[in-house]
Amino acid sequence: MRRLIVSLFRFAIEVFYRRVEVAGLENVPRDAPAVFAVNHPNGLIDPLFLLCYAPRQVSFLAKAPLFRYPVIGWFVKLFDSIPVYRKQDNVAGSNEETFARAREILERGGGLAIFPEGTTHSDARLRELKTGAARIALGASISRLAIVPTGIYYSAKGTFRSDVLVLFGAPLSVRPDESVEELTREIENGLASVTLQADSRAALDLIEKAEDIFSDRTDVTVEFELRKQFIAGYHYLSEHDPERLGRLESEVTRFTEELGRAKLEPHKLVPRFRFSTIVRVVVQLPLALAGAVLHYPTYRLVGALAKRFSQGESEMMATMKFIGSLLLFPLTWIVYAALTFHFFGVAAAVAALVIVPLLGYEAYRVLETADDLIGRMRAIRRRYLVAARETIRTEFLAVAEEMAARDPL
């Protein structure tokens, strides 16, 4: 059952997200107990990426109220999760039981995932880590135990068809003579190496805009590393040349506003066309439009419900959209099949149950490509934006060269 559910989740993830990349698999021990210390930017979506893309079976530490939720409670129990009892949750239970069950999993060579920040959030930096991961690792007293810092990066975490990178960092060994505080600091440093760490949300937003100017959206790993370099450049200019940083901020903001008025994205400024792609879009467009019409009401309903139930919290938006899509799109297909059965009989209903989901898949695939092509065509008439982009790129490259000259290592 677990394998089947994981396969379904993985399929849903690869529909919901445009691209998922996994890096650092060589850092994950295959035959030794391991604790995965994971950042937590995106609600209940984050555990799914460990569940579906870690190269070994993983159990989770999860807050106790989740075990009482309808549907979600069934899933967390199915995946051998362990409840964590927090004071603010007002759920009866003891964390002594939590630590005992965690030790059992590790002693039999299992993998355990924990989110040491303690809560999901949208901050520019890691929150202060709880000591639970270090206490579990030291309390297990297992010689081969490794802690694997794991970063989950989203290009736009609350958006349908964004990109995701799951990055497994270098494993940390656990020394029996070190303190909980020392190990927690090591975990924090390990997590910092696989996540983006900026001084403020405003700085991170600027860095995201700057990276968009450079990126062509073909490689999430390159995008992540580029944003880390921009963060280093931001810190460098903040310290050595704040006036220059201010000018760059103004240039990037002005360029982004001009793109917004033109309804373009930076990567569409590159005129990249394939005749075969244009032909495919034209030929398949009627089917795609049919799929879009059939699924549009449900698509809008999922968005409205996600906005309502996430209550303005960006870190819960993708969770609500994902859960809503898993529930409402299959229900939509069943409704269409039932209507077809009423008017045309069993054979037509079975055909509808197969054809309607395929039309939905065709809709998002073809219309996404069409949107990209249209954007690139519109960008041809705005060559001044290309020139502005190159000016900003040149300035950033000059900063990188200056940093390299100051610190050649």
Side-chain angles (χ1 to χ4, degrees):
M1 175 62 76
R2 178 182 176 119
R3 184 174 298 178
L4 174 62
I5 297 297
V6 168
S7 298
L8 291 174
F9 276 146
R10 184 159 181 163
F11 173 78
I13 283 172
E14 292 177 359
V15 170
F16 192 88
Y17 291 96
R18 189 170 66 96
R19 182 182 293 107
V20 178
E21 292 182 11
V22 182
L25 288 172
E26 69 279 3
N27 292 320
V28 179
R30 300 301 202 276
D31 57 355
V35 174
F36 295 85
V38 194
N39 69 320
H40 205 0
N42 209 5
L44 297 179
I45 298 295
D46 295 333
L48 293 183
F49 283 99
L50 268 292
L51 185 70
C52 296
Y53 294 96
R56 56 179 296 171
Q57 186 167 309
V58 180
S59 299
F60 296 88
L61 267 69
K63 62 183 182 181
L66 291 179
F67 290 77
R68 298 185 176 185
Y69 290 0
V71 183
I72 294 174
W74 182 81
F75 281 115
V76 294
K77 292 172 185 175
L78 174 67
F79 298 123
D80 199 22
S81 300
I82 303 171
V84 176
Y85 300 95
R86 307 183 304 177
K87 291 181 181 178
Q88 65 265 37
D89 293 328
N90 295 317
V91 176
S94 168
N95 280 329
E96 290 183 7
E97 176 188 348
T98 301
F99 285 103
R101 287 191 57 191
R103 282 194 297 271
E104 287 177 12
I105 289 174
L106 295 174
E107 285 170 356
R108 64 174 185 255
L112 186 66
I114 183 169
F115 299 91
E117 294 172 281
T119 185
T120 185
H121 66 90
S122 298
D123 296 350
R125 301 185 66 85
L126 291 169
R127 290 192 175 181
E128 182 178 356
L129 302 193
K130 309 296 184 184
T131 59
R135 290 163 60 198
I136 288 171
L138 291 168
S141 299
I142 301 173
S143 59
R144 294 196 304 152
L145 177 63
I147 298 177
V148 183
T150 304
I152 305 177
Y153 162 77
Y154 302 85
S155 61
K157 68 180 184 179
T159 305
F160 178 64
R161 302 296 290 162
S162 67
D163 299 329
V164 186
L165 170 66
V166 182
L167 179 57
F168 298 102
L172 308 172
S173 57
V174 181
R175 304 189 314 274
D177 60 333
E178 65 184 326
S179 67
V180 168
E181 291 74 19
E182 288 173 333
L183 184 54
T184 300
R185 281 195 297 272
E186 290 182 28
I187 294 171
E188 184 175 19
N189 292 335
L191 265 178
S193 71
V194 293
T195 56
L196 298 179
Q197 303 292 304
D199 290 334
S200 66
R201 186 71 243 176
L204 205 58
D205 289 342
L206 174 67
I207 288 156
E208 180 180 336
K209 293 174 184 175
E211 181 274 325
D212 280 345
I213 294 172
F214 274 74
S215 175
D216 61 0
R217 291 194 174 185
T218 58
D219 191 316
V220 193
T221 306
V222 170
E223 176 183 314
F224 173 78
E225 292 299 331
L226 197 54
R227 289 194 185 186
K228 293 196 77 170
Q229 292 174 32
F230 282 136
I231 290 173
Y234 184 94
H235 291 161
Y236 172 81
L237 288 179
S238 295
E239 181 179 348
H240 295 94
D241 197 343
E243 289 186 7
R244 188 179 182 187
L245 175 60
R247 290 196 302 272
L248 262 176
E249 286 179 321
S250 297
E251 290 175 10
V252 170
T253 300
R254 185 167 57 251
F255 178 74
T256 303
E257 289 173 351
E258 290 178 355
L259 281 176
R261 286 192 290 270
K263 297 182 180 179
L264 289 172
E265 297 175 60
H267 72 280
K268 293 180 181 177
L269 295 176
V270 179
R272 183 188 303 150
F273 302 100
R274 287 184 179 177
F275 181 73
S276 59
T277 301
I278 297 174
V279 171
R280 177 169 59 83
V281 167
V282 171
V283 170
Q284 296 179 335
L285 192 58
L287 290 176
L289 291 175
V293 169
L294 289 172
H295 290 86
Y296 184 73
T298 305
Y299 173 78
R300 296 290 296 176
L301 178 61
V302 167
L305 292 175
K307 186 175 182 180
R308 178 179 178 182
F309 287 106
S310 63
Q311 298 180 338
E313 298 180 13
S314 61
E315 57 270 12
M316 291 304 296
M317 180 64 77
T319 297
M320 294 298 104
K321 286 182 179 180
F322 191 82
I323 293 174
S325 298
L326 284 180
L327 295 176
L328 294 181
F329 279 108
L331 182 61
T332 299
W333 303 332
I334 292 171
V335 168
Y336 282 130
L339 289 173
T340 305
F341 170 75
H342 177 75
F343 289 104
F344 302 105
V346 175
V350 172
L353 203 55
V354 174
I355 292 171
V356 173
L358 291 177
L359 287 175
Y361 177 80
E362 187 78 351
Y364 94 74
R365 191 172 63 88
V366 173
L367 295 181
E368 185 176 67
T369 305
D371 177 70
D372 187 70
L373 286 172
I374 292 169
R376 293 182 190 276
M377 291 175 182
R378 290 174 54 242
I380 293 175
R381 295 184 291 121
R382 293 172 171 82
R383 303 305 299 171
Y384 68 94
L385 288 175
V386 176
R389 182 192 193 198
E390 288 307 310
T391 299
I392 296 173
R393 286 169 63 103
T394 300
E395 181 65 20
F396 274 108
L397 290 172
V399 173
E401 290 175 3
E402 187 176 319
M403 288 175 60
R406 278 180 172 265
D407 186 10
L409 296 179

